[in-house]
Amino acid sequence: MDVILVEDLRKSFDGHEAVRGVSFAVGEGEIYGIIGPNGAGKTTTLRMIAGILRPDTGRVLIQGKEPGEAREEGLIGYLPEDAGVYRHLKGIDFLRFVAGLYARGGDEVEEMVERGIEISGLGEALNKPMGGYSKGMKRRILLAAVLMARPRVAILDEPTSGLDVYHSVMVRNVIKEYARSGGTVLLSSHNMLEVEYLCDRLMFLHRGRKLGEGTPGELVARYGGANLEEAFINAIGGVDVEA
Amino acid sequence: MKLKQVMVKEVKELLKERTVLLGVILGPIIIFTIFAGMSMAAGRQALEQAEQVRNYAIIYRGHAYGDYARMLADSLGVPLYTGSVDPGEVLEGRTAVVIIGDEFFDNITRGLPGRADIIVKTSSLNFLSMSLPQQVEASFAQGVYMLVADLVSSLLPEADVRFLQSPVVANTTLYYRGTPLSPGEAFGLVFGVGLSVTMATMILVMSSMQVAATSVGIERESKTLEMLLSLPVSRRELILGKILGVAFITGLGIISYAVGIGIYFYSLGSIVSQAPEQGVQASPVVSVSPTSIAAFMAGLTVTLVTSLLIGLVVGSIPQDVRGAQLASSYVGLLLLAPVFAVFFGIDLTSLEGVWRVVYLDPVVLLYLVIWGVVTGDPGMATTGFAGLLVNLVVWVVVASRVLGSEAILVGGYSRRLRGLFRVGLPRSSS
Ligand SMILES: Nc1ncnc2c1ncn2[C@@H]1O[C@H](COP(=O)(O)OP(=O)(O)OP(=O)(O)O)[C@@H](O)[C@H]1O
Ligand SMILES: [Mg+2]
């Protein structure tokens, strides 16, 4: 059974169609990527799957459940694209707060928090208020909060944005590891290298429509070019210098 | 000068914000309209009361001055009862009775002020009706003056007429819903509950509403809201958790409120106990019992939680914290406006007709609880409390709807609200 099933999603804002009929499915343990230029509709799509936005038409099923229900059951972990932190809360207390919502028993909280500490790699800084964290530190604590609970589905909107090379690699390894342990990942990214390394399958999204779908190799073969970046540019019809 | 560019940008930004428009520009008109309505209602009440003042009777308990008593009643145009008639019966359908005896006329005919007992009855107690005893006394004294001025000038040409400046020394008692109150007690009730307790409640409600109203706005602005909304917790729990968190903090306010009100009632009690002894039973204000304090604190707590919910809902609709603050202050003022009506002499415990919509307001319901508790009217306190509980449930549901809606993240409430009122043809799809 597909862990994520998306059928003909559509969403408009003020008469502007941001997502125009997107369908795809993601299986267990799979890492699925969405790539597309700015404004393509990636975030809108991920928000609908996470149950934050309601689609105008179409449907989303997470393990056969509506997103709202799946969310309440703790099946979903969602890292928003542009998420912030609670300024006065210490990193460790934030992890405890999130773990407390996902965990079913007291022991599980400690287990999750331990994992969170490891994923974040923040060490001593966890005992400081998050308001003082750098951009990269904030991203890592949020990602740790999402992945430590090992939800069935992790929805990551540009997970490595703002991270340096070292920490990007670290985060990619964490995501890989999470998928290997049976987690399903849906992510968006602008980094072709990352997508190529991480994703089992991916789609090109352009102006709210799915252009193509497949493994990175398949997409390069279909659209031509030396790598995924060139294949993507070819898929969206080249770069218009005038625009 | 770059001043102009900066100013134009600021004006353009602000004019786009509906809450700024509503709050800063339309707000004063709305507030003054409310006050105008209240003044009108208060004026009407004052006119009605002027009618009431003339609606009293005289009971003459003596034997020697029957003719004078008759002349006095006639000159005042009020009925006269004699003998051992029951004042309670005479009061039926009247505002007041003035009870006089032979001693009264003994004094008057000797050029001394006459003693009278005045019993006034009112079904509503407020800044206006509190003065009813004085008004009745003044009206009666006026009649005495007219009568005596004639008599004295014809019978006692040599008499010292200075006493005519205040020909009556009255012992007045105000019966409010069957309970006798001395002037000190009436003042204590009206000033204590109507003004001071109300003011303290206002400050508590307004400040907590602001905290709740900005709580969603701050999450939106610090970009923590989206992740929070994706966590495995139901909207209802999320709201109640938020509210109880704010309530915990404002609970500290309740404690300071309780201490303050204790000090206040204590001082009020000592004023009232110094009031002249009239064989009147102990003041309800002073006899605040542990049960009534508990009832009052329970009412206050429910009101506070409800106003936090209202603040949360109202504050979630504007797109930023500034809007949330403005919106919650205006809604707060609206909720508190009926309590301002007390300043205008309006009695919130006995509203009639359309004015009863005011009973949807949790602050007014709290007022009923307080008033019921203080005057020893369990019916009123219970009704107020039941209303508060209904209010609480309704606002929990509304708040979880609002937080459950995607508009909380991406905006668009105003579009939706407009949609509710849109009539005519739908926009053609392009
Ligand atoms: N809340 C909103 N209100 C109005 N329009 C919106 C809203 N959210 C998204 N849009 C519009 O929907 C379209 C898709 O936006 P979306 O954020 O999904 O793009 P994206 O692919 O995530 O872009 P990016 O790579 O820049 O993050 C854009 O045209 C955007 O302007
Ligand atoms: Mg995006």
Side-chain angles (χ1 to χ4, degrees), chain B residues 223-383:
Chain B
K223 308 212 161 133
T224 49
L225 184 62
E226 190 171 358
M227 184 152 170
L228 183 72
L229 292 175
S230 78
L231 293 173
V233 51
S234 72
R235 294 289 185 253
R236 198 156 297 176
E237 278 178 296
L238 195 61
I239 303 228
L240 283 178
K242 257 188 175 301
I243 291 299
L244 292 179
V246 179
F248 177 79
I249 301 299
T250 50
L252 302 176
I254 294 194
I255 293 172
S256 95
Y257 184 109
V259 171
I261 218 166
I263 294 171
Y264 184 75
F265 276 152
Y266 178 79
S267 64
L268 205 64
S270 59
I271 295 173
V272 169
S273 59
Q274 285 162 19
E277 192 45 60
Q278 302 178 337
V280 159
Q281 72 193 53
S283 159
V285 181
V286 187
S287 65
V288 174
S289 68
T291 340
S292 63
I293 289 186
F296 167 58
M297 291 319 273
L300 182 65
T301 308
V302 177
T303 308
L304 200 60
V305 172
T306 309
S307 39
L308 292 179
L309 284 164
I310 297 175
L312 188 76
V313 169
V314 167
S316 305
I317 295 171
Q319 278 298 293
D320 62 9
V321 172
R322 179 168 53 196
Q325 261 162 348
L326 268 174
S328 85
S329 337
Y330 272 98
V331 171
L333 268 182
L334 218 60
L335 290 182
L336 295 165
V339 181
F340 279 115
V342 173
F343 294 79
F344 290 89
I346 290 164
D347 183 0
L348 290 180
T349 63
S350 57
L351 296 173
E352 278 159 21
V354 287
W355 289 105
R356 289 202 187 137
V357 299
V358 169
Y359 291 134
L360 297 176
D361 178 345
V363 179
V364 173
L365 293 169
L366 176 65
Y367 187 91
L368 295 190
V369 171
I370 298 176
W371 194 260
V373 162
V374 169
T375 59
D377 183 343
M380 189 185 295
T382 315
T383 310

Side-chain angles (χ1 to χ4, degrees), chain A residues 124-233:
Chain A
E124 270 308 295
L126 282 171
N127 292 313
K128 299 211 172 83
M130 295 189 286
Y133 287 11
S134 74
K135 193 168 155 193
M137 289 163 83
K138 286 178 188 160
R139 203 68 187 152
R140 274 145 61 200
I141 188 90
L142 291 168
L143 187 76
V146 170
L147 292 183
M148 71 178 175
R150 294 194 187 278
R152 296 286 297 164
V153 173
I155 301 167
L156 311 173
D157 200 349
E158 302 186 25
T160 55
S161 85
L163 294 186
D164 60 35
V165 176
Y166 174 82
H167 288 104
S168 297
V169 170
M170 202 185 95
V171 163
R172 278 174 215 147
N173 290 338
V174 169
I175 295 173
K176 272 265 191 214
E177 168 60 35
Y178 163 76
R180 218 172 289 133
S181 70
T184 302
V185 180
L186 175 62
L187 59 83
S188 79
S189 180
H190 288 291
N191 185 334
M192 298 296 164
L193 215 70
E194 168 173 296
V195 172
E196 208 156 358
Y197 167 76
L198 266 181
C199 297
D200 300 310
R201 280 191 308 138
L202 53 98
M203 76 151 88
F204 288 155
L205 189 70
H206 186 44
R207 298 195 176 134
R209 287 204 178 84
K210 183 167 96 171
L211 289 185
E213 184 182 41
T215 65
E218 283 168 5
L219 286 170
V220 172
R222 190 179 320 158
Y223 292 100
N227 51 34
L228 199 56
E229 197 163 270
E230 289 184 21
F232 173 64
I233 298 296

